[in-house]
Amino acid sequence: PVLAPISPEVRAIVARLSADDPAAREQAQAALVALGEDAHPQLVAALARATDPEVRSRLQAVVARVEQSRQVGQTRITLNLDNVPAADAVAELARQARGPIPVRPANHLTKSSKRVSLKVDHRPYWEVMGLLCKQLDVEPSTVADNGRESGLALSPVGSGGGGGVNGTRAWADRPTVVAGPLLIRAEMIAHNRSLSLRDANDQTNDFSISLSVMAEPKLKVLDYAGTARIEEAVDDRGNSLLPAPGDDADPGPEETYGNVHGGSPGQWSVGATLTYPADPGRKIARLRGTVAAEVQIRAARLEVPIQSARGVSVDLDGVRLRVKSADGLRAEVSVARDGRGDAEWYRLRALLCTGEALLVDEKGQVIARSQPGADADESDDGQRMDVRLRFARDGEDEPEFGRPGRRRGGRGGGAAEERRRTPEGAKLIWDIPVETREVVVPFMFRDLPMPR
């Protein structure tokens, strides 16, 4: 491959990777990481040309960090838009964000007379999204196709799309922080006290915070922790608001996964329990913690013609599959255990049920999508798993196993065989996550109001 030219700036920093002073080498490595994704081609070229073992080792670490950030880190956006059509502005943002930004209704921006003038230089994606939404009078909203979440779309403010509360601009009107690839919004702080009239000593003093999280479009979120881990919480009187040590009400992210049952959410809610002090201040001066999500890094694709799918066996990245049956209503695929331990086997089952399957025609147009909640049954000997996928067209009720779906508002019945058949050349396409990563993102809120 042709290597990119290396700028004098990058060349000078790379030269410091072999400095006699260890601190200087560390600083040079950090400086290269800070250059980010824009410098990736130069970093790869520098690595290819490096001969010093110390320099090569540090450049390998730098390239790995930059590539990881490209996948799951914060995206920086540069725009120089001058009175461009609304749809073109969103398309350019999506291109730089490396992920889809659908619009609901689909023609809302193409028929809009609004135009965008926006100049930003290497600003966080969510900051730029906020500026764009103000100009276009739109807001992020959850996208769901036949019950399967697929990220966030832009909807007109007031449409009730889900980005705000009751279709308001509330997504941008509450305390928010941009944390890595996430936008974290403080939704509510609740303080509830109760006393039992049977036993006055039986009292509760519940204190908690609710947050919502939005993910950049490049992230395919497979699951998330429903509880934020709070590392510091203090009011303006200096009182600690952290739960008491050993308090089971704050189990931590590792114990609170299992919240996604189909699709890839672009927005979700998390909560955390706090301790209400005896002499509270007026503000939560600092609330610092982390939220966690599991995201897909890489997927393997099963792609087979429907007419000849039965009996096809493939090995996808170490996962052996055999298609038992497939038609326009459902598909059943057998998966071999191949010596996996219990934890790995359970994990594979969860990933298989998360992956989305499509039926597409010979032009690649989607005919039907798999529904959330795929069934997976293990064989008696525990060496095989049969995964059953259900398909539905847009606007069609989710089919139950053994029963065809029906069009909403239609009479149903009689159309099962028609929907079971697929056009000549139709394919089953199933993207199965085979590599995932837990993304733990730190956040900090300051001066949140304290309920009294």
Side-chain angles (χ1 to χ4, degrees):
V2 177
L3 297 176
I6 303 175
S7 70
E9 176 193 9
V10 172
R11 195 180 301 277
I13 301 174
V14 170
R16 297 203 298 272
L17 291 176
S18 58
D20 292 336
D21 182 4
R25 296 197 296 269
E26 291 291 339
Q27 291 171 2
Q29 185 170 334
L32 290 174
V33 171
L35 292 175
E37 174 180 335
D38 289 346
H40 181 265
Q42 297 185 63
L43 297 172
V44 171
L47 175 59
R49 292 167 175 151
T51 56
D52 182 277
E54 174 80 6
V55 173
R56 285 191 58 82
S57 175
R58 290 186 178 275
L59 280 173
Q60 286 172 345
V62 168
V63 170
R65 285 276 302 279
V66 170
E67 290 177 348
Q68 177 178 326
S69 180
R70 176 181 174 86
Q71 289 180 313
V72 299
Q74 185 179 85
T75 302
R76 295 278 174 158
I77 303 295
T78 297
L79 295 176
N80 187 10
L81 307 178
D82 184 13
N83 198 35
V84 305
D88 292 349
V90 172
E92 175 57 21
L93 178 59
R95 185 190 69 79
Q96 293 191 35
R98 298 188 305 280
I101 306 178
V103 179
R104 298 290 187 271
N107 64 348
H108 176 67
L109 293 184
T110 55
K111 69 178 184 180
S112 172
S113 61
K114 291 183 179 294
R115 303 180 77 84
V116 175
S117 294
L118 184 58
K119 292 179 173 58
V120 292
D121 185 24
H122 284 81
R123 302 308 303 164
Y125 168 84
W126 280 112
E127 179 183 318
V128 178
M129 172 59 81
L131 296 172
L132 192 64
C133 285
K134 286 182 180 179
Q135 291 198 32
L136 298 180
D137 206 27
V138 294
E139 61 184 356
S141 60
T142 298
V143 177
D145 296 311
N146 286 329
R148 178 181 286 277
E149 290 186 89
S150 55
L152 294 173
L154 293 181
S155 299
V157 169
S159 66
V165 177
N166 297 324
T168 70
R169 203 189 291 270
W171 82 276
D173 287 348
R174 299 185 183 191
T176 60
V177 294
V178 176
L182 306 179
L183 180 80
I184 303 175
R185 180 178 67 199
E187 296 285 355
M188 180 180 295
I189 301 172
H191 178 218
N192 299 305
R193 302 184 66 176
S194 63
L195 178 149
S196 170
L197 296 181
R198 180 179 180 182
D199 180 0
N201 292 319
D202 183 9
Q203 300 186 32
T204 61
N205 192 5
D206 298 326
F207 186 34
S208 63
I209 184 167
S210 299
L211 309 170
S212 63
V213 183
M214 293 184 182
E216 287 188 14
K218 71 180 181 183
L219 296 184
K220 183 175 178 59
V221 178
L222 303 179
D223 202 354
Y224 60 85
T227 300
R229 180 177 289 280
I230 304 300
E231 298 170 352
E232 180 187 20
V234 61
D235 69 10
D236 54 357
R237 289 181 180 270
N239 297 309
S240 174
L241 312 178
L242 289 174
D247 188 345
D248 291 338
D250 184 23
E254 67 277 5
E255 297 179 24
T256 53
Y257 277 98
N259 294 295
V260 175
H261 304 289
S264 176
Q267 179 178 6
W268 62 92
S269 299
V270 300
T273 299
L274 303 173
T275 295
Y276 199 80
D279 184 22
R282 293 187 174 276
K283 293 182 178 180
I284 300 177
R286 294 186 304 280
L287 182 73
R288 181 170 58 86
T290 59
V291 294
E294 183 181 26
V295 302
Q296 175 179 300
I297 299 300
R298 188 165 51 88
R301 170 166 288 191
L302 170 67
E303 183 171 343
V304 292
I306 292 292
Q307 279 76 13
S308 58
R310 186 182 182 91
V312 169
S313 295
V314 295
D315 187 317
L316 295 180
D317 217 88
V319 180
R320 285 198 302 126
L321 308 174
R322 184 175 66 85
V323 181
K324 299 179 71 174
S325 63
D327 58 32
L329 291 177
R330 51 186 170 265
E332 185 169 357
V333 179
S334 178
V335 185
R337 182 162 183 163
D338 287 340
R340 292 178 173 85
D342 289 344
E344 189 180 2
W345 187 229
Y346 177 83
R347 177 72 187 133
L348 178 59
R349 173 176 180 152
L351 291 176
L352 289 168
C353 292
T354 300
E356 182 180 29
L358 302 173
L359 299 180
V360 301
D361 62 21
E362 60 182 1
K363 297 181 179 179
Q365 299 297 312
V366 176
I367 301 171
R369 303 174 186 272
S370 64
Q371 301 304 291
D375 282 359
D377 293 331
E378 195 169 323
S379 62
D380 292 340
D381 62 5
Q383 298 306 305
R384 190 187 74 252
M385 174 174 23
D386 291 334
V387 181
R388 293 191 295 275
L389 305 166
R390 301 169 294 169
F391 296 103
R393 276 70 168 169
D394 290 341
E396 186 178 65
D397 293 330
E398 295 182 18
E400 299 176 8
F401 286 116
R403 298 181 59 189
R406 63 179 63 191
R407 291 282 173 183
R408 296 188 183 102
R411 298 177 59 186
E417 288 306 315
E418 178 183 346
R419 286 195 292 273
R420 187 183 303 276
R421 292 191 295 269
T422 56
E424 191 73 27
K427 294 181 180 180
L428 164 66
I429 296 178
W430 188 15
D431 286 328
I432 301 170
V434 293
E435 183 182 350
T436 67
R437 178 174 296 147
E438 184 185 47
V439 177
V440 180
V441 178
F443 66 86
M444 166 80 87
F445 285 98
R446 294 184 182 274
D447 296 330
L448 297 175
M450 170 80 84
R452 299 175 66 84

